[in-house]
Coordinates of all heavy atoms in Angstrom, one line a residue:
H764 N 140.0 149.7 67.6 CA 141.3 150.5 67.7 C 141.3 151.3 68.9 O 142.4 151.6 69.4 CB 141.5 151.3 66.4 CG 141.0 152.7 66.4 ND1 141.8 153.7 66.7 CD2 139.7 153.1 66.2 CE1 141.0 154.8 66.7 NE2 139.8 154.5 66.3
Y765 N 140.2 151.5 69.5 CA 140.2 152.3 70.8 C 140.8 151.5 71.9 O 141.1 152.0 73.0 CB 138.7 152.7 71.1 CG 138.2 153.7 70.1 CD1 137.3 153.4 69.2 CD2 138.7 155.0 70.2 CE1 136.8 154.4 68.3 CE2 138.3 156.0 69.2 CZ 137.3 155.6 68.3 OH 136.9 156.6 67.4
A766 N 140.9 150.2 71.7 CA 141.6 149.4 72.8 C 143.1 149.5 72.7 O 143.8 148.8 73.4 CB 141.2 147.9 72.6
G767 N 143.6 150.3 71.8 CA 145.0 150.6 71.7 C 145.7 149.8 70.6 O 147.0 149.8 70.5
N768 N 145.0 149.1 69.7 CA 145.7 148.3 68.7 C 145.2 148.7 67.3 O 144.6 148.0 66.6 CB 145.3 146.8 69.0 CG 146.4 145.9 68.4 OD1 147.1 146.3 67.5 ND2 146.4 144.7 68.8
S769 N 145.6 149.9 67.0 CA 145.2 150.5 65.7 C 145.7 149.8 64.5 O 145.0 149.6 63.5 CB 145.6 152.0 65.7 OG 145.0 152.7 66.7
Q770 N 146.9 149.3 64.6 CA 147.5 148.6 63.4 C 146.7 147.3 63.1 O 146.5 147.0 62.0 CB 149.0 148.3 63.6 CG 149.8 149.6 63.7 CD 149.6 150.5 62.4 OE1 149.5 150.0 61.3 NE2 149.5 151.8 62.7
T771 N 146.4 146.5 64.2 CA 145.6 145.3 64.0 C 144.2 145.7 63.4 O 143.7 145.0 62.5 CB 145.4 144.5 65.3 OG1 146.7 144.2 65.7 CG2 144.6 143.3 65.1
A772 N 143.6 146.7 63.9 CA 142.3 147.2 63.4 C 142.4 147.5 61.9 O 141.5 147.1 61.1 CB 141.8 148.4 64.2
L773 N 143.5 148.2 61.5 CA 143.6 148.6 60.1 C 143.8 147.3 59.3 O 143.2 147.2 58.2 CB 144.9 149.5 59.9 CG 144.7 150.9 60.4 CD1 146.0 151.7 60.4 CD2 143.7 151.6 59.5
T774 N 144.6 146.3 59.8 CA 144.8 145.1 59.0 C 143.4 144.4 58.8 O 143.1 143.9 57.7 CB 145.7 144.2 59.8 OG1 147.0 144.8 59.9 CG2 145.9 142.8 59.1
H775 N 142.6 144.3 59.9 CA 141.3 143.6 59.7 C 140.4 144.4 58.8 O 139.6 143.8 58.0 CB 140.7 143.5 61.1 CG 141.3 142.4 62.0 ND1 141.6 141.1 61.6 CD2 141.9 142.6 63.2 CE1 142.2 140.5 62.6 NE2 142.4 141.3 63.5
L776 N 140.4 145.7 58.9 CA 139.6 146.5 58.0 C 140.0 146.4 56.5 O 139.1 146.3 55.7 CB 139.6 148.0 58.4 CG 138.8 148.4 59.6 CD1 139.2 149.7 60.1 CD2 137.3 148.3 59.2
K777 N 141.2 146.3 56.3 CA 141.7 146.1 54.9 C 141.3 144.7 54.4 O 140.9 144.6 53.2 CB 143.2 146.3 54.8 CG 143.6 147.7 55.0 CD 145.1 147.9 55.0 CE 145.5 149.4 55.3 NZ 146.9 149.6 55.4
T778 N 141.3 143.7 55.2 CA 140.9 142.4 54.9 C 139.4 142.4 54.6 O 138.9 141.8 53.6 CB 141.2 141.3 56.0 OG1 142.6 141.3 56.2 CG2 140.7 140.0 55.6
A779 N 138.6 143.0 55.5 CA 137.2 143.1 55.3 C 136.9 143.9 54.0 O 136.0 143.5 53.2 CB 136.6 143.8 56.5
Q780 N 137.6 144.9 53.7 CA 137.4 145.7 52.5 C 137.6 144.8 51.3 O 136.8 144.9 50.3 CB 138.3 146.9 52.5 CG 138.2 147.8 51.2 CD 139.2 148.9 51.2 OE1 139.8 149.2 52.2 NE2 139.5 149.4 50.0
T781 N 138.6 144.0 51.2 CA 138.9 143.1 50.1 C 137.7 142.2 49.9 O 137.2 141.9 48.8 CB 140.2 142.4 50.3 OG1 141.3 143.3 50.4 CG2 140.5 141.4 49.2
L782 N 137.2 141.6 51.0 CA 136.1 140.7 51.0 C 134.9 141.3 50.5 O 134.1 140.8 49.7 CB 135.9 140.0 52.3 CG 137.0 139.1 52.8 CD1 136.8 138.7 54.3 CD2 137.1 137.9 52.0
M783 N 134.6 142.5 51.0 CA 133.4 143.3 50.5 C 133.5 143.6 49.0 O 132.5 143.5 48.3 CB 133.3 144.6 51.3 CG 133.1 144.5 52.8 SD 131.5 143.9 53.2 CE 131.6 143.9 54.9
Q784 N 134.7 143.9 48.5 CA 134.9 144.2 47.1 C 134.6 142.9 46.3 O 134.0 143.0 45.2 CB 136.3 144.7 46.8 CG 136.5 146.1 47.3 CD 138.0 146.5 47.2 OE1 138.9 145.7 47.5 NE2 138.2 147.8 46.9
Q785 N 135.0 141.8 46.8 CA 134.9 140.5 46.1 C 133.4 140.1 45.9 O 133.0 139.5 44.9 CB 135.6 139.4 46.8 CG 137.1 139.5 46.7 CD 137.8 138.5 47.5 OE1 137.3 137.7 48.3 NE2 139.2 138.5 47.4
V786 N 132.6 140.5 46.9 CA 131.1 140.2 46.8 C 130.3 141.3 46.3 O 129.1 141.2 46.2 CB 130.6 139.7 48.2 CG1 131.3 138.4 48.6 CG2 130.7 140.7 49.3
G787 N 130.9 142.4 46.0 CA 130.2 143.6 45.4 C 129.4 144.4 46.3 O 128.5 145.1 46.0
D788 N 129.8 144.4 47.6 CA 129.2 145.2 48.6 C 129.8 146.6 48.7 O 130.7 146.8 49.5 CB 129.3 144.5 50.0 CG 128.5 145.1 51.1 OD1 128.0 146.3 50.9 OD2 128.3 144.5 52.1
T789 N 129.2 147.5 47.9 CA 129.8 148.9 47.9 C 129.6 149.6 49.2 O 130.6 150.3 49.7 CB 129.1 149.7 46.8 OG1 129.2 149.0 45.5 CG2 129.7 151.1 46.6
R790 N 128.5 149.5 49.9 CA 128.3 150.1 51.2 C 129.3 149.5 52.2 O 129.9 150.3 53.0 CB 126.9 150.0 51.7 CG 126.7 150.6 53.1 CD 125.3 150.7 53.5 NE 124.9 152.1 53.1 CZ 123.8 152.4 52.5 NH1 122.9 151.4 52.2 NH2 123.5 153.6 52.2
G791 N 129.6 148.3 52.2 CA 130.6 147.6 53.1 C 132.0 148.2 52.8 O 132.7 148.4 53.7
V792 N 132.3 148.3 51.5 CA 133.6 148.8 51.2 C 133.8 150.2 51.7 O 134.8 150.6 52.3 CB 133.9 148.8 49.6 CG1 135.1 149.6 49.2 CG2 133.9 147.4 49.1
A793 N 132.7 151.0 51.5 CA 132.8 152.4 51.9 C 132.9 152.5 53.4 O 133.6 153.3 54.0 CB 131.5 153.2 51.4
G794 N 132.2 151.6 54.1 CA 132.3 151.6 55.6 C 133.7 151.3 56.1 O 134.2 151.9 57.0
C795 N 134.3 150.3 55.4 CA 135.7 150.0 55.8 C 136.6 151.1 55.5 O 137.5 151.4 56.3 CB 136.2 148.8 54.9 SG 135.4 147.2 55.4
L796 N 136.5 151.8 54.4 CA 137.3 153.0 54.1 C 137.1 154.1 55.1 O 138.0 154.7 55.6 CB 137.0 153.5 52.7 CG 137.4 152.6 51.5 CD1 136.7 153.1 50.3 CD2 138.9 152.7 51.4
R797 N 135.8 154.3 55.5 CA 135.5 155.4 56.5 C 136.1 155.1 57.9 O 136.7 155.9 58.5 CB 134.0 155.5 56.6 CG 133.5 156.9 56.9 CD 133.8 157.4 58.3 NE 133.0 156.7 59.3 CZ 133.4 156.5 60.6 NH1 134.6 156.9 61.0 NH2 132.7 155.9 61.4
F798 N 136.1 153.8 58.3 CA 136.7 153.5 59.6 C 138.2 153.5 59.5 O 138.8 153.9 60.5 CB 136.2 152.1 60.1 CG 134.8 152.1 60.7 CD1 133.7 151.5 60.1 CD2 134.6 152.8 61.9 CE1 132.5 151.6 60.6 CE2 133.3 152.9 62.4 CZ 132.3 152.3 61.8
Q799 N 138.8 153.2 58.4 CA 140.2 153.3 58.2 C 140.6 154.8 58.3 O 141.6 155.2 58.9 CB 140.7 152.8 56.9 CG 140.7 151.3 56.8 CD 141.0 150.8 55.4 OE1 142.2 150.9 55.0 NE2 140.1 150.2 54.7
C800 N 139.8 155.7 57.7 CA 140.0 157.1 57.8 C 140.0 157.5 59.3 O 140.9 158.3 59.7 CB 138.9 157.9 57.1 SG 138.7 159.6 57.6
E801 N 139.0 157.1 60.1 CA 139.0 157.5 61.5 C 140.3 157.1 62.2 O 140.8 157.8 63.0 CB 137.8 156.8 62.1 CG 137.6 157.1 63.6 CD 136.4 156.5 64.2 OE1 135.5 156.0 63.5 OE2 136.3 156.5 65.4
I802 N 140.7 155.8 62.0 CA 141.9 155.4 62.6 C 143.2 156.2 62.2 O 144.0 156.6 63.0 CB 142.1 153.9 62.4 CG1 141.0 153.1 63.1 CG2 143.5 153.4 62.9 CD1 141.0 151.6 62.7
Q803 N 143.3 156.4 60.9 CA 144.4 157.1 60.4 C 144.4 158.6 60.9 O 145.5 159.1 61.3 CB 144.5 157.2 58.8 CG 144.7 155.8 58.2 CD 146.1 155.3 58.5 OE1 147.0 155.9 59.1 NE2 146.4 154.1 57.9
N804 N 143.2 159.1 61.0 CA 143.1 160.5 61.6 C 143.6 160.5 63.1 O 144.3 161.3 63.5 CB 141.6 160.9 61.5 CG 141.5 162.4 61.8 OD1 142.3 163.2 61.5 ND2 140.4 162.7 62.5
H805 N 143.1 159.5 63.8 CA 143.5 159.3 65.2 C 145.1 159.2 65.3 O 145.6 159.7 66.3 CB 142.8 158.1 65.8 CG 143.2 157.7 67.2 ND1 142.8 158.4 68.3 CD2 144.0 156.7 67.7 CE1 143.4 157.9 69.4 NE2 144.1 156.9 69.0
L806 N 145.7 158.5 64.4 CA 147.1 158.3 64.4 C 147.9 159.5 63.9 O 149.1 159.5 64.0 CB 147.5 157.0 63.6 CG 147.0 155.7 64.1 CD1 147.3 154.6 63.1 CD2 147.7 155.4 65.4
G807 N 147.2 160.5 63.4 CA 147.8 161.7 62.9 C 148.3 161.6 61.4 O 149.0 162.5 60.9
N808 N 147.8 160.6 60.8 CA 148.1 160.4 59.3 C 147.0 161.1 58.5 O 146.2 160.4 57.9 CB 148.3 158.9 59.0 CG 149.3 158.2 59.8 OD1 150.4 158.8 60.1 ND2 149.1 157.0 60.2
H809 N 147.0 162.4 58.5 CA 145.9 163.1 58.0 C 145.8 163.0 56.4 O 144.7 163.0 55.9 CB 146.0 164.6 58.4 CG 146.0 164.7 59.9 ND1 144.9 164.4 60.7 CD2 146.9 165.1 60.8 CE1 145.1 164.5 61.9 NE2 146.4 165.0 62.0
A810 N 146.9 163.0 55.7 CA 146.8 162.9 54.3 C 146.2 161.5 53.9 O 145.3 161.5 53.0 CB 148.2 163.0 53.7
E811 N 146.6 160.5 54.6 CA 146.0 159.1 54.3 C 144.5 159.1 54.7 O 143.7 158.6 54.0 CB 146.8 158.0 55.0 CG 146.2 156.7 54.8 CD 146.3 156.2 53.4 OE1 147.0 156.8 52.5 OE2 145.6 155.1 53.1
A812 N 144.2 159.7 55.8 CA 142.8 159.8 56.3 C 142.0 160.5 55.3 O 140.9 160.1 54.9 CB 142.7 160.5 57.6
L813 N 142.5 161.6 54.7 CA 141.7 162.4 53.8 C 141.5 161.6 52.5 O 140.4 161.6 51.9 CB 142.4 163.7 53.4 CG 141.7 164.7 52.6 CD1 140.4 165.1 53.2 CD2 142.6 165.9 52.4
H814 N 142.5 160.9 52.0 CA 142.4 160.0 50.8 C 141.3 159.0 51.1 O 140.5 158.7 50.2 CB 143.8 159.4 50.5 CG 143.7 158.3 49.5 ND1 143.6 158.6 48.2 CD2 143.7 157.0 49.6 CE1 143.5 157.4 47.5 NE2 143.6 156.4 48.4
L815 N 141.4 158.3 52.2 CA 140.4 157.3 52.5 C 139.0 157.8 52.6 O 138.0 157.2 52.0 CB 140.8 156.6 53.8 CG 142.0 155.7 53.8 CD1 142.5 155.4 55.2 CD2 141.8 154.4 53.0
V816 N 138.8 158.9 53.2 CA 137.4 159.5 53.4 C 136.9 159.9 52.0 O 135.7 159.8 51.7 CB 137.3 160.6 54.4 CG1 137.8 161.9 54.0 CG2 135.9 160.7 54.9
E817 N 137.8 160.4 51.1 CA 137.3 160.8 49.8 C 136.8 159.6 49.0 O 135.8 159.6 48.3 CB 138.4 161.5 49.0 CG 138.7 162.9 49.5 CD 137.6 163.9 49.2 OE1 136.7 163.6 48.5 OE2 137.7 165.0 49.8
E818 N 137.5 158.5 49.2 CA 137.1 157.2 48.5 C 135.8 156.8 49.1 O 134.9 156.3 48.3 CB 138.2 156.1 48.7 CG 139.4 156.2 47.8 CD 140.2 155.0 47.9 OE1 139.7 153.9 47.6 OE2 141.4 155.1 48.2
A819 N 135.6 156.8 50.4 CA 134.4 156.4 51.0 C 133.2 157.3 50.6 O 132.1 156.8 50.2 CB 134.5 156.5 52.6
L820 N 133.4 158.6 50.5 CA 132.4 159.6 50.0 C 132.0 159.2 48.6 O 130.8 159.3 48.3 CB 132.9 161.0 50.1 CG 132.8 161.7 51.5 CD1 133.5 163.0 51.5 CD2 131.3 161.9 51.8
S821 N 132.9 159.0 47.8 CA 132.6 158.6 46.4 C 131.7 157.4 46.3 O 130.7 157.4 45.6 CB 133.9 158.4 45.6 OG 133.6 158.1 44.3
A822 N 132.1 156.4 47.1 CA 131.2 155.2 47.1 C 129.9 155.4 47.7 O 128.9 155.0 47.1 CB 132.0 154.1 47.9
Y823 N 129.8 156.1 48.8 CA 128.5 156.4 49.4 C 127.6 157.2 48.5 O 126.4 156.9 48.3 CB 128.7 157.2 50.7 CG 129.1 156.3 51.9 CD1 130.0 156.8 52.8 CD2 128.5 155.1 52.2 CE1 130.4 156.1 53.9 CE2 128.9 154.3 53.3 CZ 129.9 154.9 54.1 OH 130.2 154.1 55.2
R824 N 128.2 158.2 47.8 CA 127.4 159.0 46.9 C 126.9 158.3 45.7 O 125.8 158.6 45.2 CB 128.2 160.2 46.5 CG 128.3 161.3 47.6 CD 129.2 162.4 47.2 NE 129.2 163.5 48.2 CZ 130.3 164.3 48.4 NH1 131.4 164.1 47.8 NH2 130.2 165.2 49.3
A825 N 127.6 157.3 45.3 CA 127.2 156.5 44.1 C 126.0 155.6 44.5 O 125.2 155.4 43.6 CB 128.4 155.6 43.7
I826 N 125.9 155.2 45.7 CA 124.8 154.3 46.0 C 123.6 155.0 46.7 O 122.5 154.5 46.6 CB 125.3 153.1 46.9 CG1 125.9 153.6 48.2 CG2 126.2 152.2 46.2 CD1 126.3 152.5 49.2
A827 N 123.9 156.1 47.4 CA 122.8 156.8 48.1 C 123.3 158.2 48.5 O 123.7 158.4 49.6 CB 122.4 156.0 49.4
P828 N 123.1 159.1 47.5 CA 123.7 160.4 47.7 C 123.2 161.2 48.9 O 123.8 162.2 49.3 CB 123.4 161.1 46.4 CG 122.4 160.4 45.7 CD 122.5 159.0 46.3
R829 N 122.1 160.8 49.5 CA 121.5 161.6 50.6 C 121.5 160.8 51.9 O 120.7 161.1 52.8 CB 120.2 162.1 50.3 CG 120.2 163.1 49.2 CD 118.9 163.7 49.0 NE 119.0 164.9 48.1 CZ 118.2 165.9 48.1 NH1 117.1 165.9 48.9 NH2 118.4 167.0 47.4
C830 N 122.2 159.7 52.0 CA 122.1 158.8 53.1 C 123.0 159.4 54.3 O 123.8 160.2 54.1 CB 122.6 157.4 52.8 SG 124.3 157.2 52.5
H831 N 122.7 158.9 55.5 CA 123.4 159.3 56.7 C 124.9 159.0 56.6 O 125.7 159.6 57.2 CB 122.8 158.8 57.9 CG 123.0 157.3 58.1 ND1 122.3 156.3 57.5 CD2 123.9 156.7 58.9 CE1 122.7 155.2 57.8 NE2 123.7 155.3 58.7
D832 N 125.2 158.0 55.8 CA 126.6 157.6 55.7 C 127.4 158.7 55.0 O 128.6 158.9 55.4 CB 126.8 156.3 54.8 CG 126.2 155.1 55.5 OD1 126.3 155.0 56.7 OD2 125.6 154.3 54.8
V833 N 126.8 159.4 54.1 CA 127.5 160.6 53.5 C 127.8 161.6 54.5 O 128.9 162.2 54.6 CB 126.7 161.2 52.3 CG1 127.3 162.5 51.8 CG2 126.6 160.1 51.2
A834 N 126.8 161.9 55.4 CA 127.0 162.9 56.4 C 128.1 162.5 57.4 O 128.9 163.3 57.8 CB 125.7 163.1 57.2
D835 N 128.1 161.2 57.7 CA 129.1 160.7 58.6 C 130.5 160.9 58.0 O 131.4 161.3 58.7 CB 128.8 159.2 59.0 CG 129.9 158.7 59.9 OD1 130.0 159.2 61.1 OD2 130.6 157.7 59.5
A836 N 130.6 160.5 56.8 CA 131.9 160.7 56.1 C 132.4 162.1 56.0 O 133.5 162.5 56.1 CB 131.9 160.0 54.7
L837 N 131.4 163.0 55.7 CA 131.7 164.4 55.7 C 132.2 164.9 57.0 O 133.1 165.8 57.1 CB 130.5 165.2 55.2 CG 130.2 165.1 53.7 CD1 128.8 165.7 53.4 CD2 131.3 165.7 52.9
F838 N 131.6 164.4 58.1 CA 132.1 164.8 59.4 C 133.5 164.4 59.6 O 134.3 165.2 60.1 CB 131.2 164.1 60.5 CG 131.9 164.1 61.9 CD1 131.7 165.2 62.7 CD2 132.6 163.1 62.3 CE1 132.3 165.3 63.9 CE2 133.3 163.1 63.6 CZ 133.1 164.3 64.4
W839 N 133.9 163.2 59.2 CA 135.3 162.8 59.3 C 136.2 163.5 58.4 O 137.4 163.8 58.7 CB 135.4 161.2 59.2 CG 135.0 160.6 60.5 CD1 133.7 160.0 60.7 CD2 135.7 160.6 61.7 NE1 133.7 159.7 62.0 CE2 134.9 160.0 62.7 CE3 137.0 161.0 62.1 CZ2 135.3 159.8 64.0 CZ3 137.4 160.9 63.4 CH2 136.5 160.3 64.3
K840 N 135.7 163.9 57.3 CA 136.5 164.7 56.4 C 136.8 166.1 57.1 O 138.0 166.5 57.1 CB 135.8 165.0 55.0 CG 136.7 165.8 54.1 CD 136.0 166.0 52.7 CE 136.8 166.8 51.8 NZ 136.2 167.0 50.5
G841 N 135.8 166.7 57.6 CA 136.0 167.9 58.4 C 136.9 167.8 59.5 O 137.8 168.6 59.8
S842 N 136.8 166.7 60.3 CA 137.6 166.4 61.4 C 139.1 166.2 61.0 O 140.0 166.7 61.7 CB 137.1 165.1 62.1 OG 137.9 164.8 63.2
T843 N 139.3 165.7 59.8 CA 140.6 165.5 59.4 C 141.3 166.8 58.9 O 142.4 167.1 59.2 CB 140.7 164.5 58.2 OG1 140.2 163.2 58.6 CG2 142.0 164.3 57.6
L844 N 140.5 167.7 58.3 CA 141.0 168.9 57.8 C 141.2 170.0 58.9 O 142.1 170.8 58.7 CB 140.0 169.5 56.8 CG 139.9 168.7 55.5 CD1 138.8 169.3 54.6 CD2 141.3 168.8 54.7
F845 N 140.5 169.9 60.0 CA 140.6 170.9 61.0 C 141.1 170.2 62.3 O 141.0 170.3 63.3 CB 139.3 171.6 61.2 CG 138.9 172.3 60.0 CD1 137.9 171.8 59.1 CD2 139.5 173.5 59.6 CE1 137.5 172.4 58.0 CE2 139.1 174.2 58.4 CZ 138.1 173.6 57.6

């Protein structure tokens, strides 16, 4: 999305998220949600970004409550709120 095509990036991330859900890859789903949060935050869609990062945090905490992914998602949550 940094190449200026955020909408295409969001479309690809949503497709990837669906595929990850189909194969049961919780960490992959959470990663897709987290990256969607980053893009939505960049676009100024803060409510949507917050919703996405909360979903990502929930998934990350379910599989590894102390992993670096939780810290990364918390960073983006803070970035969205402030």
Side-chain angles (χ1 to χ4, degrees):
H764 89 98
Y765 292 106
N768 203 342
S769 297
Q770 293 306 318
T771 299
L773 286 170
T774 298
H775 290 304
L776 282 165
K777 289 175 185 176
T778 299
Q780 180 184 341
T781 298
L782 294 171
M783 299 287 185
Q784 287 169 325
Q785 290 173 355
V786 298
D788 184 346
T789 303
R790 178 168 266 132
V792 169
C795 290
L796 291 165
R797 212 288 291 151
F798 281 112
Q799 289 176 67
C800 161
E801 182 178 345
I802 294 169
Q803 293 292 359
N804 191 40
H805 174 75
L806 294 173
N808 301 325
H809 302 294
E811 180 62 14
L813 188 58
H814 169 76
L815 290 162
V816 78
E817 289 291 349
E818 283 190 56
L820 276 168
S821 178
Y823 283 139
R824 286 177 173 146
I826 57 174
R829 293 185 167 206
C830 73
H831 72 279
D832 294 324
V833 171
D835 180 63
L837 286 169
F838 166 82
W839 281 101
K840 181 177 180 179
S842 180
T843 298
L844 292 171
F845 300 100

